Amino acid sequence: MTAAVPDAVPDTTSDIEALERVLAARWSCRGYLPEPVDEATLERLLEAARRTPSWCNTQPWRVDVLSGDAARELSAAMLAGLEQGGSDLDFPQAYTGVHRDRRRESGWQLYDAVGIEKGDRDRSFLEGLRNFELFGAPHVAIVSAPRELGTYGAIDCGLYVQTFLLAAQALGLGACAQAALAGQSSLLHEHLDIPEDRAVVCGISFGRPDPDHPTASYRTSRAPLGETVTRRG
């Protein structure tokens, strides 16, 4: 009797190497070339992002993608409406301990890249405003989730954002996820006709990265495994 031949084990070496390469190369791009992304590449990006896994396969994300004049009009509206503010999801109550330290490290790395000295509140404020200028990106995606799905709907949208960011990197694009845009949720609901039963999670500015922008050299660090992972057994 001939023994059954087991199915061949697929060689995933190249897959994990490709993923590791994209993860290592990805950064939050804060400087873009003005030319829009071509339609074929944009479609491929969105097709890749929709493969995101979700709780019970609910796929709760709704994504409003704005390009060209539509993106610039939204940017202008957000800059004009900054004093209104307001977000659908709770922002962090505080940053303490190691989370404060990591946040500060990242912030000072950014300020060093663009030449802002400690204590220069005026330039710090202007740098913050660049969020609402979409960092000059020709495109922005606004991601929202059904309020009734609560925390898990927002988590699923976070997974969508991660897939979007990695797909953008793999396609040679730059992208930056922005909680700051969610701080303009009332304006976004009105401007984009987002129903009130949905919560704005964040925005993602994206396009072709400008290699000569001062922020192009800015990269954040990652904590070692021993600080974030506990293994048992």
Side-chain angles (χ1 to χ4, degrees):
M1 183 174 179
T2 304
V5 177
D7 293 337
V9 177
D11 180 7
T12 60
T13 303
S14 60
D15 290 342
I16 187 60
E17 289 175 347
L19 178 58
E20 288 170 340
R21 186 167 60 251
V22 173
L23 284 165
R26 194 213 65 80
W27 86 107
S28 294
C29 181
R30 290 177 170 85
Y32 296 87
L33 300 174
E35 294 79 15
V37 175
D38 62 274
E39 185 60 29
T41 301
L42 179 56
E43 189 74 12
R44 192 171 187 182
L45 169 62
L46 297 173
E47 281 287 346
R50 78 182 182 94
R51 295 294 180 182
T52 300
S54 59
W55 188 271
C56 297
N57 198 35
T58 52
Q59 304 172 67
W61 44 81
R62 169 178 161 177
V63 188
D64 290 274
V65 180
L66 291 78
S67 303
D69 289 343
R72 287 187 286 272
E73 288 170 5
L74 176 61
S75 171
M78 288 191 293
L79 288 168
L82 284 178
E83 294 183 0
Q84 300 175 20
S87 60
D88 292 335
L89 303 179
D90 292 335
F91 273 42
Q93 296 179 1
Y95 293 91
T96 61
V98 68
H99 306 119
R100 176 195 58 204
D101 296 341
R102 292 170 185 162
R103 184 171 186 258
R104 285 179 174 175
E105 178 192 48
S106 174
W108 287 122
Q109 283 179 310
L110 172 60
Y111 288 169
D112 285 345
V114 296
I116 298 177
E117 297 182 358
K118 289 185 178 181
D120 191 339
R121 295 184 181 275
D122 291 338
R123 286 201 62 195
S124 298
F125 175 74
L126 292 175
E127 184 62 29
L129 287 184
R130 295 189 65 239
N131 277 280
F132 305 104
E133 296 170 353
L134 311 179
F135 301 118
H139 308 275
V140 64
I142 304 299
V143 183
S144 64
R147 293 182 190 267
E148 66 180 8
L149 295 185
T151 300
Y152 284 98
I155 289 173
D156 286 340
C157 285
L159 293 175
Y160 179 91
V161 171
Q162 170 74 334
T163 307
F164 189 106
L165 296 177
L166 293 180
Q169 179 67 35
L171 288 165
L173 305 178
C176 185
Q178 297 166 267
L181 303 191
Q184 293 289 311
S185 61
S186 295
L187 184 150
L188 292 171
H189 277 279
E190 181 178 355
H191 193 92
L192 301 177
D193 197 25
I194 298 173
E196 287 301 323
D197 63 357
R198 299 191 66 85
V200 176
V201 177
C202 71
I204 311 171
S205 293
F206 66 100
R208 300 284 179 189
D210 179 358
D212 297 323
H213 195 275
T215 59
S217 63
Y218 160 53
R219 298 290 187 275
T220 55
S221 63
R222 289 295 180 272
L225 287 180
E227 290 185 18
T228 60
V229 177
T230 300
R231 299 180 60 181
R232 294 180 172 88

